[in-house]
Amino acid sequence: MSTMLAAFRGDYANALRLHLDSPSQTTLAEGYELGRRALVEGVSILDLTEHHFRLLDREGLKSEAALEFLLQTLAALDVATRGFLDSTRSYEQQRLRVEDLEGRDAFRTALVESLQDGFFVADSHGAITEVNSAFGALTGYGPDGVPYPQPHPWSVHDSGYPDLGATLTTSDTARFMLPVRHRDGRRLWLAVSTSTLVRPEDHEQIYVGTIRDVTAEQDAQARDQAVSQLATAVGAATSVIEVLAVGLEELRRITGAEAAVVSVWPNRHTGPELYMSSGEGAPSRQVLDAQARVLLDRARVRPGRTMFAIPEGAASSEGIVAPLAETADAALWLRFAAPRAITPGDWALFSLLVGQVSLAVQRARNFDQARSTSLTLQRAMLGPIELPPRFSVHYEPALPPLEIGGDWYDLVPLRDGTIGIVVGDCVGRGLSAAVVMGQLRTAARALLLRGAGPAQLLAELDTVAARIPGAMCTTACAAILDPVRGVVRYSSAGHMPLVLAAPGSKGRLLEGGRSVPLATFDPPRRPEATTELGPGSTLVLFTDGLVEERGTGIDDRFDLLADELSGAATLLPREVADAVLSRLRPAVGYDDDVAMVVYRQPPRALHLDLPAEANRLSAIRRSLAAWLTGAAVPHELALDLVAAANEACSNSIEHAYLDGALGRVLIVADCTMAQVTVEVTDAGIWRPQPEDPGHRGRGIAMMRALTDELIIDNAGIGTRVRLIAKLPAVAVTAAGRV
């Protein structure tokens, strides 16, 4: 037995005897301390219990106090034993838990890595703390580089989109699209789906999410949108020039090109026409032309929908070139500001855009051909006519680009010097109305040439219209104008009234001679009316398209027309037509065809009696020019007459009154339908032209050159210079502005 165990047993026996002699809490406490000592010195519970009962048997000590002392001693050993067991059990539980967590972590890792989508975990500040391999494959930033603090290295900072971390922290769950920059520089689009969680061990808010590459879908959507924008931009264009003006600008904007150039070869005998859209700082057109010719000429002979980069086969391209149409007479060049790589997606986009421009150009060419055909038809129906002086006509269709309809006009000079005028409007519009119009116009012209008056003409047109399909309810106005007598005789078949405006006065409606439209029912007789045309007055005949506007009363439109004609005397008939059309044109354009005839009655003769002074010449020129405009003399001829009259007046002022007498000069201007005459008369002395006039004396030659006829009468007192100019007929094509 060891010394330590023997000492313990002796001390235990002494303490037990003291407790049995005088039991107390102090003696019990001594027993508890002996239990703790046994725990320290390695005395087992078995040794302690055996020694206790041996003492009781040897000394005959048996009592409840002895058992109480033993239990108190064993209490310390019992607490330690339970603690050990609890610790052992806790250890086993922790060990099992750790093994379970390790298994669960391995399972989670395997699960996350098996995802085809990129997976990430972010902390409450938006920093990415965990990613899977798929995340790294999508962005170029894998698990080895975590954490990725904000701003994230894949962020596209100039795109207008927030950073991924900033987007995470704005909501608990989210789905959004995000552009990113791959580590290798490629731009990608990711579909991001995120959720918010709370970590149980530290209650920190975290974000978990997945990413998926949707670049292909986004590029396809962007291509569709770009093509739609371009198609919309060129959709309203109806000519090749309009298509290229709008389409090249839109094409350059969509592709980010520095310049877009199209070369069009109209025919085999002329060089190409160049159209260009360029941004600021782009090379000048002259520089661009020299470089573009060879490339565009190569491209136009290639099959349609083929493109090639410049330079061909290089890693980066300065631009692309492509033919524009199957007819191999147009080609496109897109020039980039700096060389760039062209991806398959770029090629797909360029192909779609070039295809849209090609279709728009081809459609515009078809419109041009249709327009040319329709104008030829319209001119054949209305006829290229030569208007008498002082007339102007205008036809404006409401259906561009075909530009044909059922409105018409006709002017027919008659044998007695009068002029027949017919203005009509068939029901409907477009080609069918134009066919009806052509037949009625031909019949009306024949009736005028046969000598029919206005009422008789409309009465016989009733019979004609009744036999033409679609001619029923046609409106028409027929008039016989006598410029010499200054009267107009007219009749109306349900048509718009004539408008007559005296110089300086508003126009007034001529509403006499009115009856029903053609071929509606047989009237007893068609009425006629006659109105005097005052000197310098303006007469206007028109179809209803001029004065009809949705939402506006026709009386208001008539008043607007009458007001515009108050200044007609200061304009040529052609200018009157332009002013009226401009003043009455609705904001959305005319809803119906417009046909218009404008006539100017010759004004009263001009009389000027002025002192023969040089400072009077400017006033003479101004007065004569204004009178010539009122007489509907074309501007070029008026300038010649003013210059010739100025020379005649200068001669009178300078040479007729050299003897010092204060003389006068008389200017008289008058006109007929065929000619204008200006007379300059003085009471001075005629001075023959010297044989050598020097640098002067060219006035007579100039007057003779500027007029059709020059007559100088110097017999008797004074000199009379007569300047005569013939008024030219106005040659027009009917389907156009005159």
Side-chain angles (χ1 to χ4, degrees), residues 579-622:
V580 168
L581 287 165
S582 177
R583 178 80 177 272
L584 272 70
R585 178 173 283 109
V588 296
Y590 287 106
D591 187 54
D592 196 4
D593 303 334
V594 176
M596 186 190 320
V597 177
V598 180
Y599 167 71
R600 173 70 47 76
Q601 178 68 11
R604 290 188 177 90
L606 173 69
H607 290 268
L608 297 175
D609 187 355
L610 301 172
E613 299 172 351
N615 59 6
R616 301 285 184 167
L617 289 174
S618 60
I620 292 172
R621 292 193 297 269
R622 286 194 301 271

Tab-separated table of all heavy atoms in Angstrom, residues 579-622:
chain	number	residue	atom	x	y	z
A	579	ALA	N	-49.967	81.565	-103.057
A	579	ALA	CA	-50.364	82.198	-101.800
A	579	ALA	C	-51.653	81.591	-101.260
A	579	ALA	O	-51.790	81.338	-100.054
A	579	ALA	CB	-50.520	83.705	-102.007
A	580	VAL	N	-52.622	81.345	-102.130
A	580	VAL	CA	-53.890	80.756	-101.693
A	580	VAL	C	-53.678	79.351	-101.150
A	580	VAL	O	-54.190	78.985	-100.084
A	580	VAL	CB	-54.897	80.753	-102.863
A	580	VAL	CG1	-56.104	79.878	-102.527
A	580	VAL	CG2	-55.350	82.168	-103.171
A	581	LEU	N	-52.917	78.538	-101.868
A	581	LEU	CA	-52.662	77.170	-101.416
A	581	LEU	C	-51.926	77.155	-100.087
A	581	LEU	O	-52.195	76.331	-99.212
A	581	LEU	CB	-51.860	76.407	-102.466
A	581	LEU	CG	-52.642	76.005	-103.724
A	581	LEU	CD1	-51.692	75.585	-104.824
A	581	LEU	CD2	-53.601	74.872	-103.397
A	582	SER	N	-50.989	78.066	-99.919
A	582	SER	CA	-50.232	78.124	-98.664
A	582	SER	C	-51.121	78.583	-97.513
A	582	SER	O	-51.045	78.041	-96.406
A	582	SER	CB	-49.042	79.066	-98.835
A	582	SER	OG	-48.325	79.194	-97.635
A	583	ARG	N	-51.964	79.584	-97.753
A	583	ARG	CA	-52.818	80.131	-96.692
A	583	ARG	C	-53.881	79.131	-96.255
A	583	ARG	O	-54.190	79.012	-95.068
A	583	ARG	CB	-53.481	81.404	-97.204
A	583	ARG	CG	-54.453	82.060	-96.216
A	583	ARG	CD	-53.742	82.883	-95.175
A	583	ARG	NE	-54.653	83.554	-94.273
A	583	ARG	CZ	-55.184	84.756	-94.483
A	583	ARG	NH1	-54.873	85.420	-95.602
A	583	ARG	NH2	-55.995	85.306	-93.608
A	584	LEU	N	-54.440	78.378	-97.188
A	584	LEU	CA	-55.550	77.490	-96.860
A	584	LEU	C	-55.112	76.058	-96.573
A	584	LEU	O	-55.950	75.228	-96.200
A	584	LEU	CB	-56.573	77.475	-98.006
A	584	LEU	CG	-57.666	78.556	-97.939
A	584	LEU	CD1	-57.090	79.937	-98.194
A	584	LEU	CD2	-58.785	78.252	-98.924
A	585	ARG	N	-53.838	75.741	-96.740
A	585	ARG	CA	-53.399	74.355	-96.531
A	585	ARG	C	-53.571	73.949	-95.065
A	585	ARG	O	-53.040	74.587	-94.168
A	585	ARG	CB	-51.936	74.188	-96.934
A	585	ARG	CG	-51.412	72.767	-96.697
A	585	ARG	CD	-50.011	72.574	-97.251
A	585	ARG	NE	-50.041	72.410	-98.692
A	585	ARG	CZ	-49.620	73.309	-99.560
A	585	ARG	NH1	-49.117	74.468	-99.127
A	585	ARG	NH2	-49.684	73.089	-100.855
A	586	PRO	N	-54.315	72.878	-94.782
A	586	PRO	CA	-54.468	72.392	-93.397
A	586	PRO	C	-53.126	71.893	-92.852
A	586	PRO	O	-52.194	71.600	-93.616
A	586	PRO	CB	-55.481	71.251	-93.521
A	586	PRO	CG	-56.174	71.468	-94.831
A	586	PRO	CD	-55.150	72.109	-95.723
A	587	ALA	N	-53.056	71.777	-91.545
A	587	ALA	CA	-51.802	71.348	-90.915
A	587	ALA	C	-51.396	69.954	-91.361
A	587	ALA	O	-50.208	69.651	-91.475
A	587	ALA	CB	-51.948	71.396	-89.390
A	588	VAL	N	-52.375	69.075	-91.631
A	588	VAL	CA	-52.073	67.702	-92.049
A	588	VAL	C	-52.095	67.547	-93.561
A	588	VAL	O	-52.003	66.433	-94.073
A	588	VAL	CB	-53.071	66.717	-91.405
A	588	VAL	CG1	-52.907	66.715	-89.900
A	588	VAL	CG2	-54.505	67.060	-91.794
A	589	GLY	N	-52.195	68.667	-94.292
A	589	GLY	CA	-52.236	68.595	-95.740
A	589	GLY	C	-53.664	68.488	-96.247
A	589	GLY	O	-54.615	68.237	-95.493
A	590	TYR	N	-53.823	68.696	-97.550
A	590	TYR	CA	-55.157	68.641	-98.153
A	590	TYR	C	-55.688	67.210	-98.136
A	590	TYR	O	-54.969	66.273	-98.480
A	590	TYR	CB	-55.114	69.178	-99.575
A	590	TYR	CG	-54.951	70.687	-99.635
A	590	TYR	CD1	-53.744	71.270	-100.002
A	590	TYR	CD2	-56.008	71.520	-99.292
A	590	TYR	CE1	-53.599	72.644	-100.045
A	590	TYR	CE2	-55.875	72.901	-99.327
A	590	TYR	CZ	-54.661	73.465	-99.706
A	590	TYR	OH	-54.517	74.820	-99.728
A	591	ASP	N	-56.956	67.085	-97.753
A	591	ASP	CA	-57.581	65.762	-97.664
A	591	ASP	C	-58.181	65.329	-98.996
A	591	ASP	O	-58.519	64.169	-99.180
A	591	ASP	CB	-58.666	65.789	-96.582
A	591	ASP	CG	-59.242	64.419	-96.312
A	591	ASP	OD1	-58.450	63.505	-96.040
A	591	ASP	OD2	-60.476	64.259	-96.406
A	592	ASP	N	-58.300	66.253	-99.933
A	592	ASP	CA	-58.876	65.941	-101.238
A	592	ASP	C	-58.051	66.646	-102.308
A	592	ASP	O	-57.301	67.598	-102.021
A	592	ASP	CB	-60.336	66.416	-101.286
A	592	ASP	CG	-61.096	65.789	-102.450
A	592	ASP	OD1	-60.509	64.940	-103.148
A	592	ASP	OD2	-62.263	66.165	-102.662
A	593	ASP	N	-58.205	66.168	-103.557
A	593	ASP	CA	-57.476	66.798	-104.652
A	593	ASP	C	-57.903	68.257	-104.796
A	593	ASP	O	-59.038	68.637	-104.469
A	593	ASP	CB	-57.756	66.071	-105.969
A	593	ASP	CG	-57.394	64.586	-105.878
A	593	ASP	OD1	-56.526	64.256	-105.052
A	593	ASP	OD2	-57.982	63.788	-106.619
A	594	VAL	N	-56.988	69.071	-105.317
A	594	VAL	CA	-57.266	70.489	-105.531
A	594	VAL	C	-56.900	70.834	-106.971
A	594	VAL	O	-55.767	70.605	-107.403
A	594	VAL	CB	-56.463	71.383	-104.568
A	594	VAL	CG1	-56.710	72.859	-104.884
A	594	VAL	CG2	-56.828	71.084	-103.128
A	595	ALA	N	-57.865	71.372	-107.705
A	595	ALA	CA	-57.613	71.941	-109.031
A	595	ALA	C	-58.005	73.415	-108.976
A	595	ALA	O	-59.041	73.779	-108.400
A	595	ALA	CB	-58.410	71.208	-110.106
A	596	MET	N	-57.179	74.295	-109.585
A	596	MET	CA	-57.419	75.727	-109.465
A	596	MET	C	-57.023	76.430	-110.765
A	596	MET	O	-56.006	76.093	-111.383
A	596	MET	CB	-56.603	76.303	-108.294
A	596	MET	CG	-56.920	77.768	-108.012
A	596	MET	SD	-55.769	78.533	-106.817
A	596	MET	CE	-55.563	77.241	-105.641
A	597	VAL	N	-57.841	77.409	-111.159
A	597	VAL	CA	-57.550	78.274	-112.300
A	597	VAL	C	-57.598	79.716	-111.804
A	597	VAL	O	-58.564	80.118	-111.146
A	597	VAL	CB	-58.558	78.078	-113.450
A	597	VAL	CG1	-58.268	79.050	-114.592
A	597	VAL	CG2	-58.520	76.645	-113.950
A	598	VAL	N	-56.564	80.498	-112.118
A	598	VAL	CA	-56.494	81.909	-111.722
A	598	VAL	C	-56.351	82.756	-112.990
A	598	VAL	O	-55.506	82.460	-113.855
A	598	VAL	CB	-55.304	82.166	-110.777
A	598	VAL	CG1	-55.253	83.639	-110.383
A	598	VAL	CG2	-55.403	81.286	-109.536
A	599	TYR	N	-57.184	83.795	-113.078
A	599	TYR	CA	-57.139	84.692	-114.250
A	599	TYR	C	-57.069	86.140	-113.766
A	599	TYR	O	-57.732	86.525	-112.805
A	599	TYR	CB	-58.375	84.495	-115.128
A	599	TYR	CG	-58.556	85.587	-116.155
A	599	TYR	CD1	-57.707	85.691	-117.249
A	599	TYR	CD2	-59.572	86.543	-116.016
A	599	TYR	CE1	-57.857	86.717	-118.191
A	599	TYR	CE2	-59.740	87.559	-116.947
A	599	TYR	CZ	-58.863	87.633	-118.028
A	599	TYR	OH	-59.006	88.656	-118.950
A	600	ARG	N	-56.281	86.962	-114.496
A	600	ARG	CA	-56.166	88.396	-114.185
A	600	ARG	C	-56.698	89.204	-115.367
A	600	ARG	O	-56.176	89.109	-116.500
A	600	ARG	CB	-54.696	88.735	-113.938
A	600	ARG	CG	-54.394	90.241	-113.758
A	600	ARG	CD	-54.937	90.813	-112.457
A	600	ARG	NE	-54.628	89.960	-111.339
A	600	ARG	CZ	-53.413	89.859	-110.760
A	600	ARG	NH1	-52.402	90.566	-111.203
A	600	ARG	NH2	-53.237	89.049	-109.733
A	601	GLN	N	-57.742	89.984	-115.135
A	601	GLN	CA	-58.277	90.887	-116.151
A	601	GLN	C	-57.306	92.057	-116.331
A	601	GLN	O	-56.756	92.574	-115.364
A	601	GLN	CB	-59.667	91.399	-115.720
A	601	GLN	CG	-60.326	92.370	-116.657
A	601	GLN	CD	-60.734	91.741	-117.981
A	601	GLN	OE1	-60.714	90.518	-118.145
A	601	GLN	NE2	-61.101	92.579	-118.951
A	602	PRO	N	-57.045	92.454	-117.589
A	602	PRO	CA	-56.115	93.589	-117.803
A	602	PRO	C	-56.551	94.809	-117.005
A	602	PRO	O	-57.751	95.136	-116.932
A	602	PRO	CB	-56.209	93.842	-119.313
A	602	PRO	CG	-56.621	92.512	-119.878
A	602	PRO	CD	-57.538	91.905	-118.860
A	603	PRO	N	-55.604	95.529	-116.398
A	603	PRO	CA	-55.950	96.717	-115.600
A	603	PRO	C	-56.176	97.942	-116.492
A	603	PRO	O	-55.959	97.906	-117.701
A	603	PRO	CB	-54.714	96.886	-114.719
A	603	PRO	CG	-53.589	96.369	-115.562
A	603	PRO	CD	-54.165	95.231	-116.372
A	604	ARG	N	-56.613	99.028	-115.874
A	604	ARG	CA	-56.712	100.302	-116.586
A	604	ARG	C	-55.328	100.762	-117.006
A	604	ARG	O	-54.323	100.404	-116.388
A	604	ARG	CB	-57.352	101.357	-115.690
A	604	ARG	CG	-58.836	101.136	-115.423
A	604	ARG	CD	-59.418	102.331	-114.690
A	604	ARG	NE	-60.855	102.171	-114.485
A	604	ARG	CZ	-61.396	101.591	-113.418
A	604	ARG	NH1	-60.615	101.118	-112.465
A	604	ARG	NH2	-62.708	101.486	-113.305
A	605	ALA	N	-55.301	101.572	-118.042
A	605	ALA	CA	-54.014	102.087	-118.528
A	605	ALA	C	-53.358	102.956	-117.459
A	605	ALA	O	-54.025	103.634	-116.670
A	605	ALA	CB	-54.219	102.876	-119.812
A	606	LEU	N	-52.034	102.924	-117.444
A	606	LEU	CA	-51.245	103.734	-116.506
A	606	LEU	C	-50.918	105.070	-117.162
A	606	LEU	O	-50.431	105.113	-118.308
A	606	LEU	CB	-49.954	102.991	-116.150
A	606	LEU	CG	-48.939	103.771	-115.314
A	606	LEU	CD1	-49.459	103.994	-113.891
A	606	LEU	CD2	-47.596	103.031	-115.275
A	607	HIS	N	-51.151	106.166	-116.461
A	607	HIS	CA	-50.830	107.509	-116.965
A	607	HIS	C	-49.948	108.197	-115.939
A	607	HIS	O	-50.346	108.378	-114.781
A	607	HIS	CB	-52.107	108.337	-117.195
A	607	HIS	CG	-52.936	107.857	-118.339
A	607	HIS	ND1	-52.803	108.351	-119.631
A	607	HIS	CD2	-53.928	106.921	-118.403
A	607	HIS	CE1	-53.662	107.738	-120.427
A	607	HIS	NE2	-54.364	106.867	-119.701
A	608	LEU	N	-48.763	108.642	-116.364
A	608	LEU	CA	-47.838	109.390	-115.514
A	608	LEU	C	-47.428	110.652	-116.264
A	608	LEU	O	-46.905	110.579	-117.386
A	608	LEU	CB	-46.595	108.552	-115.178
A	608	LEU	CG	-46.812	107.264	-114.382
A	608	LEU	CD1	-45.495	106.502	-114.239
A	608	LEU	CD2	-47.386	107.573	-113.004
A	609	ASP	N	-47.693	111.806	-115.705
A	609	ASP	CA	-47.303	113.093	-116.296
A	609	ASP	C	-46.421	113.793	-115.272
A	609	ASP	O	-46.916	114.325	-114.271
A	609	ASP	CB	-48.555	113.912	-116.624
A	609	ASP	CG	-48.227	115.183	-117.407
A	609	ASP	OD1	-47.019	115.456	-117.602
A	609	ASP	OD2	-49.159	115.890	-117.803
A	610	LEU	N	-45.095	113.813	-115.523
A	610	LEU	CA	-44.142	114.266	-114.518
A	610	LEU	C	-43.171	115.273	-115.109
A	610	LEU	O	-42.932	115.281	-116.336
A	610	LEU	CB	-43.358	113.064	-113.972
A	610	LEU	CG	-44.169	111.948	-113.322
A	610	LEU	CD1	-43.260	110.764	-113.018
A	610	LEU	CD2	-44.841	112.446	-112.056
A	611	PRO	N	-42.594	116.126	-114.261
A	611	PRO	CA	-41.547	117.028	-114.754
A	611	PRO	C	-40.370	116.220	-115.301
A	611	PRO	O	-40.044	115.150	-114.791
A	611	PRO	CB	-41.142	117.824	-113.506
A	611	PRO	CG	-42.307	117.720	-112.588
A	611	PRO	CD	-42.909	116.369	-112.851
A	612	ALA	N	-39.751	116.726	-116.343
A	612	ALA	CA	-38.616	116.045	-116.978
A	612	ALA	C	-37.365	116.272	-116.135
A	612	ALA	O	-36.466	117.046	-116.505
A	612	ALA	CB	-38.431	116.537	-118.407
A	613	GLU	N	-37.327	115.617	-115.008
A	613	GLU	CA	-36.206	115.755	-114.080
A	613	GLU	C	-35.638	114.369	-113.777
A	613	GLU	O	-36.378	113.381	-113.640
A	613	GLU	CB	-36.674	116.421	-112.790
A	613	GLU	CG	-37.230	117.836	-113.007
A	613	GLU	CD	-37.860	118.401	-111.741
A	613	GLU	OE1	-38.004	117.619	-110.753
A	613	GLU	OE2	-38.216	119.585	-111.725
A	614	ALA	N	-34.320	114.307	-113.644
A	614	ALA	CA	-33.657	113.016	-113.449
A	614	ALA	C	-34.088	112.353	-112.147
A	614	ALA	O	-34.146	111.115	-112.057
A	614	ALA	CB	-32.141	113.199	-113.478
A	615	ASN	N	-34.397	113.144	-111.120
A	615	ASN	CA	-34.768	112.540	-109.840
A	615	ASN	C	-36.149	111.902	-109.862
A	615	ASN	O	-36.599	111.343	-108.870
A	615	ASN	CB	-34.669	113.575	-108.717
A	615	ASN	CG	-35.582	114.775	-108.954
A	615	ASN	OD1	-36.370	114.804	-109.901
A	615	ASN	ND2	-35.444	115.786	-108.110
A	616	ARG	N	-36.863	112.023	-110.989
A	616	ARG	CA	-38.170	111.393	-111.123
A	616	ARG	C	-38.075	109.962	-111.681
A	616	ARG	O	-39.070	109.237	-111.717
A	616	ARG	CB	-39.048	112.221	-112.064
A	616	ARG	CG	-39.259	113.648	-111.611
A	616	ARG	CD	-40.241	113.709	-110.463
A	616	ARG	NE	-40.534	115.089	-110.080
A	616	ARG	CZ	-41.533	115.441	-109.275
A	616	ARG	NH1	-42.316	114.504	-108.794
A	616	ARG	NH2	-41.736	116.702	-108.966
A	617	LEU	N	-36.909	109.586	-112.157
A	617	LEU	CA	-36.778	108.301	-112.828
A	617	LEU	C	-37.096	107.120	-111.905
A	617	LEU	O	-37.724	106.141	-112.318
A	617	LEU	CB	-35.375	108.145	-113.414
A	617	LEU	CG	-35.066	109.028	-114.618
A	617	LEU	CD1	-33.593	108.889	-115.024
A	617	LEU	CD2	-35.968	108.640	-115.790
A	618	SER	N	-36.635	107.159	-110.649
A	618	SER	CA	-36.880	106.031	-109.741
A	618	SER	C	-38.362	105.854	-109.477
A	618	SER	O	-38.877	104.722	-109.422
A	618	SER	CB	-36.126	106.245	-108.428
A	618	SER	OG	-36.558	107.445	-107.784
A	619	ALA	N	-39.108	106.960	-109.337
A	619	ALA	CA	-40.549	106.861	-109.120
A	619	ALA	C	-41.235	106.287	-110.349
A	619	ALA	O	-42.195	105.494	-110.244
A	619	ALA	CB	-41.126	108.230	-108.779
A	620	ILE	N	-40.748	106.675	-111.553
A	620	ILE	CA	-41.318	106.135	-112.789
A	620	ILE	C	-41.102	104.629	-112.848
A	620	ILE	O	-42.021	103.862	-113.190
A	620	ILE	CB	-40.687	106.835	-114.008
A	620	ILE	CG1	-41.120	108.311	-114.054
A	620	ILE	CG2	-41.068	106.123	-115.296
A	620	ILE	CD1	-40.398	109.125	-115.114
A	621	ARG	N	-39.907	104.188	-112.515
A	621	ARG	CA	-39.617	102.749	-112.570
A	621	ARG	C	-40.496	101.968	-111.600
A	621	ARG	O	-41.025	100.898	-111.927
A	621	ARG	CB	-38.133	102.497	-112.260
A	621	ARG	CG	-37.194	103.006	-113.329
A	621	ARG	CD	-35.791	102.441	-113.120
A	621	ARG	NE	-35.200	102.876	-111.870
A	621	ARG	CZ	-34.452	103.964	-111.714
A	621	ARG	NH1	-34.208	104.759	-112.761
A	621	ARG	NH2	-33.951	104.275	-110.541
A	622	ARG	N	-40.659	102.487	-110.373
A	622	ARG	CA	-41.479	101.781	-109.381
A	622	ARG	C	-42.935	101.698	-109.818
A	622	ARG	O	-43.577	100.643	-109.720
A	622	ARG	CB	-41.377	102.474	-108.021
A	622	ARG	CG	-40.055	102.256	-107.304
A	622	ARG	CD	-40.169	102.676	-105.837
A	622	ARG	NE	-40.534	104.076	-105.692
A	622	ARG	CZ	-39.667	105.089	-105.629
A	622	ARG	NH1	-38.359	104.834	-105.723
A	622	ARG	NH2	-40.082	106.327	-105.480
